[in-house]
Amino acid sequence: MTITTAIVGYGNLGRSAETLIKAQPDLELFGIFSRRSELDTNTPVYPVDSINDYADKIDVLYLCLGSATDIPEQAPAFAKNFTTVDTYDNHKRLPAHYATMDAAAKESGNVSIIATGWDPGLFSLNRVIGASVFPEPQQNTFWGRGLSQGHSNAIRGVEGVKYGVQYTIPREDAIEAAKAGNGADIDSKDAHLRQCWIVADEADHDRITETIVNMPDYFVGYKTEVHFIGEEEFLRDHQGLPHGGRVITSGQLGDTKSTVEFVLDLESNPDFTASVLVAYGRAAARLKADGQTGAFTVLEVPPYLLSTKSLDELIAQDL
Ligand code: NDP
């Protein structure tokens, strides 16, 4: 079956989803819905205000909107008319998002798979699986090396910063301790280094450094490095959106000890996040075709529904 999909929101995630939908054999892209009228793409673009006119043409709507305000404000209305998938990443507000999307999707008989991507998303799955197989699991999550959008925005807001990025880097000794089963005392703040690369006039360097390392919420309490570089080097070496991380779970199993590790090394955060989003779209269409309704997290979606292969093929090949 061919699944007709559409994208709402054309930022980093929307652009990656566009490319990746087109690379999947069973998915087709109907169009992109945006608040902006001019987008640099060959895919048909429609005003988001007109989206309900196309409800009967679209099997799955990918919500590629920002998590800060777009998703809480707009996602429930989309779920009333479409089967949706999102990458909402506000961990604290996930229970509220789940409840709202469940009610909206049930009202219309649709399916909404929420919080896909990698964290939340594939990391959540691995945290649950890892923790479930040990009687007394010791679990740690490390993030990076990766570019943090929020922290990069924060340093770009400091007066005098022309260009700036911030990478989150996990401490190798903390990772080794977690793998050895000694992660109980690892403090997440202490286990990560915040590394800033900045272009600014030399006269401003000391003030900018002081402002950054003393910035509450973002840098206070973290080991922070501030490096100043030339514009040419910045434009050459700091344009990507790399990210990744690892979930490490270990514990005693009777007389023996084992460690489970799930590692992501991502050259592009939006490309990988979109790849997970796109695969869960296939699952959403299948759940809907099966007569299911309401919101689902990645914990509730059977893995075989993500695959282009049938369950019988997967059993014959993989089990
Ligand atoms: P962006 O800021 O690039 O895009 C968000 C929205 O802003 C778009 O949908 C778009 O809407 C609008 N927009 C984008 N570019 C412009 C522009 N130049 N001018 C005006 N408006 C613009 O966010 P990302 O795509 O990078 O990320 C989306 C969300 O994905 C993030 O908020 C994050 O929470 C989540 N995420 C989740 C992960 C996970 O593992 N679960 C991992 C990574 C991200 P419109 O087209 O309507 O204007």
Side-chain angles (χ1 to χ4, degrees), residues 8-15 32-36 39 48 63-68 70-71 74 86-91 115-122 149 241 269-270 273:
V8 185
Y10 197 62
N12 297 310
L13 187 64
R15 278 193 299 276
I32 297 164
F33 292 87
S34 175
R35 286 163 285 200
R36 288 164 292 156
L39 299 180
V48 70
L63 307 184
C64 298
L65 299 159
S67 291
D70 289 347
I71 290 285
Q74 300 174 31
D86 69 52
T87 61
Y88 187 60
D89 71 353
N90 185 331
H91 293 256
T116 72
W118 59 279
D119 197 1
L122 298 190
Q149 300 269 24
L241 295 170
N269 184 359
T273 304

Side-chain angles (χ1 to χ4, degrees), residues 12 118 143-149 152 165-170 195 197 236-245 264-273:
N12 297 310
W118 59 279
W143 295 273
R145 180 182 187 262
L147 185 134
S148 163
Q149 300 269 24
S152 297
V165 287
Q166 193 255 229
Y167 300 100
T168 303
I169 302 173
Q195 193 177 69
W197 297 88
R236 186 189 63 217
D237 295 341
H238 298 285
Q239 297 308 300
L241 295 170
H243 221 312
L264 292 178
D265 185 2
L266 315 176
E267 190 179 334
S268 161
N269 184 359
D271 283 352
F272 187 74
T273 304

